[in-house]
Amino acid sequence: MIADAFRDALAGTSRRLLFTSALPALVFSAVLLGVTLEAGTAARPAAGLGTGPGTAIATWSDLPASVRTVHAAGFVLGVTLLTALLAAHRVTLLRWAEGYWPGRLGRRLGTRRASRYERARAELRGDVRAGSPDAYEALYLHYPLPGVPVLPTRLGNVLRGAEDYPRTRYGIDAVLVWPRLFPLLPAPFTATFASSRARLDAALAAAALSLVFAVAAPVCAVALGGAPWLAAVSLVAGAVGALTGYRAALTTAVVHGQQIRVAFDLYRGLLLDTARHGGRPPLPETESVNQRSPDASPDALSSAAEREIWEGLCGFWYRNIPVEARITAPRSGG
């Protein structure tokens, strides 16, 4: 059974790696190679060669087998290294897309853009007070609640709104609690959650590589003596690809943020139950769930009491503050 579970997990990881890193790396490398071949053949008109894919293929076929082998091995190695880089830095890509930019220039630009989104949030709040349901939906899905600082990008505000949702509703520090809650989530939910995160990572990888292509391909075309139109087309194609990838990531982030909210709404009681029945820290309780009277409400824990419990747990996990709360939450659900 353990071997089967390990094999399934490995297969799932391999599929996610293929979708989120290997496929974008392969497409980027192949298109960049095509641009360099086109630029190289166009720069040698004296050789009696034309331009286009057919000429590049003919030139490749005329090379000695050993040279073709070395080139093919270099291409495969390059794709492999790029895949590894994308997989290792997917969190970095996400933080950049959220607006966590380093350096003085990054902080200055971030502050300026955050001010813009702060004004947009204030306008939406005004529309909400005027009774606009569309404004409320936009505020709920795309921004954190008032009092929580906004980030410099739309994607960052979408995810910050989802991460702040458990704190405002239940007093839960999502960043601290999520690694403890995730192993308890049902398999169907984790599969859906992993799928949405994979789509988000793939979109960000495509956007980042398209941005690199918009710079690298024109430089290669000009350096190899290619036609000016090739550099211009490469620049436009890379910019369009980066914008399309970011928009796809933004759409996926909205869905992903909703799943984060749902996870805390429906399954946070599982973590309370686990902490009470064998997890750490041990939490005292006044009565057992099985000893309640039949007339007792299954949701006997008030919102204020639950908030106190979560704040106590987060304080213990993060700062080792002893827990004095009592748990009377149901054994499952929220």
PDB file of all heavy atoms in Angstrom, residues 68-81:
ATOM      1  N   ARG A  68      25.584  16.955 -35.421  1.00  0.00           N
ATOM      2  CA  ARG A  68      24.154  16.943 -35.095  1.00  0.00           C
ATOM      3  C   ARG A  68      23.906  16.332 -33.717  1.00  0.00           C
ATOM      4  O   ARG A  68      23.052  16.799 -32.957  1.00  0.00           O
ATOM      5  CB  ARG A  68      23.368  16.171 -36.158  1.00  0.00           C
ATOM      6  CG  ARG A  68      23.346  16.836 -37.517  1.00  0.00           C
ATOM      7  CD  ARG A  68      22.180  16.327 -38.351  1.00  0.00           C
ATOM      8  NE  ARG A  68      22.232  14.886 -38.523  1.00  0.00           N
ATOM      9  CZ  ARG A  68      22.822  14.254 -39.534  1.00  0.00           C
ATOM     10  NH1 ARG A  68      23.415  14.983 -40.482  1.00  0.00           N
ATOM     11  NH2 ARG A  68      22.803  12.946 -39.632  1.00  0.00           N
ATOM     12  N   THR A  69      24.661  15.300 -33.390  1.00  0.00           N
ATOM     13  CA  THR A  69      24.502  14.663 -32.079  1.00  0.00           C
ATOM     14  C   THR A  69      24.870  15.616 -30.953  1.00  0.00           C
ATOM     15  O   THR A  69      24.159  15.715 -29.938  1.00  0.00           O
ATOM     16  CB  THR A  69      25.381  13.403 -31.998  1.00  0.00           C
ATOM     17  OG1 THR A  69      24.991  12.486 -33.025  1.00  0.00           O
ATOM     18  CG2 THR A  69      25.236  12.725 -30.647  1.00  0.00           C
ATOM     19  N   VAL A  70      25.971  16.340 -31.134  1.00  0.00           N
ATOM     20  CA  VAL A  70      26.394  17.298 -30.114  1.00  0.00           C
ATOM     21  C   VAL A  70      25.357  18.402 -29.956  1.00  0.00           C
ATOM     22  O   VAL A  70      24.991  18.785 -28.834  1.00  0.00           O
ATOM     23  CB  VAL A  70      27.774  17.879 -30.458  1.00  0.00           C
ATOM     24  CG1 VAL A  70      28.125  19.024 -29.512  1.00  0.00           C
ATOM     25  CG2 VAL A  70      28.845  16.798 -30.386  1.00  0.00           C
ATOM     26  N   HIS A  71      24.835  18.908 -31.053  1.00  0.00           N
ATOM     27  CA  HIS A  71      23.836  19.961 -30.993  1.00  0.00           C
ATOM     28  C   HIS A  71      22.550  19.464 -30.331  1.00  0.00           C
ATOM     29  O   HIS A  71      21.940  20.188 -29.512  1.00  0.00           O
ATOM     30  CB  HIS A  71      23.534  20.480 -32.402  1.00  0.00           C
ATOM     31  CG  HIS A  71      24.637  21.308 -32.974  1.00  0.00           C
ATOM     32  ND1 HIS A  71      24.585  21.865 -34.237  1.00  0.00           N
ATOM     33  CD2 HIS A  71      25.840  21.691 -32.454  1.00  0.00           C
ATOM     34  CE1 HIS A  71      25.694  22.549 -34.475  1.00  0.00           C
ATOM     35  NE2 HIS A  71      26.473  22.448 -33.395  1.00  0.00           N
ATOM     36  N   ALA A  72      22.135  18.264 -30.696  1.00  0.00           N
ATOM     37  CA  ALA A  72      20.901  17.717 -30.102  1.00  0.00           C
ATOM     38  C   ALA A  72      21.075  17.498 -28.602  1.00  0.00           C
ATOM     39  O   ALA A  72      20.168  17.796 -27.806  1.00  0.00           O
ATOM     40  CB  ALA A  72      20.528  16.403 -30.788  1.00  0.00           C
ATOM     41  N   ALA A  73      22.251  16.991 -28.218  1.00  0.00           N
ATOM     42  CA  ALA A  73      22.506  16.782 -26.792  1.00  0.00           C
ATOM     43  C   ALA A  73      22.527  18.111 -26.038  1.00  0.00           C
ATOM     44  O   ALA A  73      22.010  18.215 -24.921  1.00  0.00           O
ATOM     45  CB  ALA A  73      23.828  16.049 -26.598  1.00  0.00           C
ATOM     46  N   GLY A  74      23.119  19.134 -26.669  1.00  0.00           N
ATOM     47  CA  GLY A  74      23.121  20.452 -26.031  1.00  0.00           C
ATOM     48  C   GLY A  74      21.723  21.016 -25.874  1.00  0.00           C
ATOM     49  O   GLY A  74      21.396  21.627 -24.845  1.00  0.00           O
ATOM     50  N   PHE A  75      20.863  20.786 -26.885  1.00  0.00           N
ATOM     51  CA  PHE A  75      19.485  21.265 -26.805  1.00  0.00           C
ATOM     52  C   PHE A  75      18.732  20.564 -25.680  1.00  0.00           C
ATOM     53  O   PHE A  75      18.034  21.212 -24.880  1.00  0.00           O
ATOM     54  CB  PHE A  75      18.781  21.034 -28.138  1.00  0.00           C
ATOM     55  CG  PHE A  75      17.343  21.462 -28.146  1.00  0.00           C
ATOM     56  CD1 PHE A  75      17.005  22.791 -28.301  1.00  0.00           C
ATOM     57  CD2 PHE A  75      16.332  20.534 -27.995  1.00  0.00           C
ATOM     58  CE1 PHE A  75      15.683  23.196 -28.310  1.00  0.00           C
ATOM     59  CE2 PHE A  75      15.007  20.921 -27.999  1.00  0.00           C
ATOM     60  CZ  PHE A  75      14.677  22.259 -28.160  1.00  0.00           C
ATOM     61  N   VAL A  76      18.884  19.245 -25.598  1.00  0.00           N
ATOM     62  CA  VAL A  76      18.211  18.497 -24.536  1.00  0.00           C
ATOM     63  C   VAL A  76      18.708  18.924 -23.166  1.00  0.00           C
ATOM     64  O   VAL A  76      17.928  19.089 -22.220  1.00  0.00           O
ATOM     65  CB  VAL A  76      18.418  16.974 -24.746  1.00  0.00           C
ATOM     66  CG1 VAL A  76      17.897  16.194 -23.546  1.00  0.00           C
ATOM     67  CG2 VAL A  76      17.725  16.521 -26.018  1.00  0.00           C
ATOM     68  N   LEU A  77      20.033  19.120 -23.059  1.00  0.00           N
ATOM     69  CA  LEU A  77      20.589  19.568 -21.782  1.00  0.00           C
ATOM     70  C   LEU A  77      20.069  20.944 -21.407  1.00  0.00           C
ATOM     71  O   LEU A  77      19.727  21.204 -20.241  1.00  0.00           O
ATOM     72  CB  LEU A  77      22.120  19.585 -21.875  1.00  0.00           C
ATOM     73  CG  LEU A  77      22.862  20.051 -20.613  1.00  0.00           C
ATOM     74  CD1 LEU A  77      22.546  19.127 -19.438  1.00  0.00           C
ATOM     75  CD2 LEU A  77      24.366  20.101 -20.867  1.00  0.00           C
ATOM     76  N   GLY A  78      19.972  21.841 -22.390  1.00  0.00           N
ATOM     77  CA  GLY A  78      19.461  23.171 -22.111  1.00  0.00           C
ATOM     78  C   GLY A  78      18.011  23.140 -21.640  1.00  0.00           C
ATOM     79  O   GLY A  78      17.638  23.845 -20.691  1.00  0.00           O
ATOM     80  N   VAL A  79      17.182  22.332 -22.298  1.00  0.00           N
ATOM     81  CA  VAL A  79      15.779  22.205 -21.887  1.00  0.00           C
ATOM     82  C   VAL A  79      15.687  21.620 -20.483  1.00  0.00           C
ATOM     83  O   VAL A  79      14.880  22.064 -19.656  1.00  0.00           O
ATOM     84  CB  VAL A  79      15.000  21.338 -22.888  1.00  0.00           C
ATOM     85  CG1 VAL A  79      13.589  21.038 -22.373  1.00  0.00           C
ATOM     86  CG2 VAL A  79      14.925  22.028 -24.247  1.00  0.00           C
ATOM     87  N   THR A  80      16.533  20.636 -20.193  1.00  0.00           N
ATOM     88  CA  THR A  80      16.514  20.018 -18.867  1.00  0.00           C
ATOM     89  C   THR A  80      16.900  21.008 -17.782  1.00  0.00           C
ATOM     90  O   THR A  80      16.260  21.090 -16.723  1.00  0.00           O
ATOM     91  CB  THR A  80      17.471  18.817 -18.832  1.00  0.00           C
ATOM     92  OG1 THR A  80      17.091  17.878 -19.849  1.00  0.00           O
ATOM     93  CG2 THR A  80      17.427  18.119 -17.479  1.00  0.00           C
ATOM     94  N   LEU A  81      17.954  21.781 -18.031  1.00  0.00           N
ATOM     95  CA  LEU A  81      18.386  22.770 -17.039  1.00  0.00           C
ATOM     96  C   LEU A  81      17.322  23.853 -16.844  1.00  0.00           C
ATOM     97  O   LEU A  81      17.058  24.286 -15.711  1.00  0.00           O
ATOM     98  CB  LEU A  81      19.710  23.399 -17.474  1.00  0.00           C
ATOM     99  CG  LEU A  81      20.937  22.492 -17.428  1.00  0.00           C
ATOM    100  CD1 LEU A  81      22.161  23.220 -17.969  1.00  0.00           C
ATOM    101  CD2 LEU A  81      21.197  21.994 -16.018  1.00  0.00           C
TER     102      LEU A  81
END
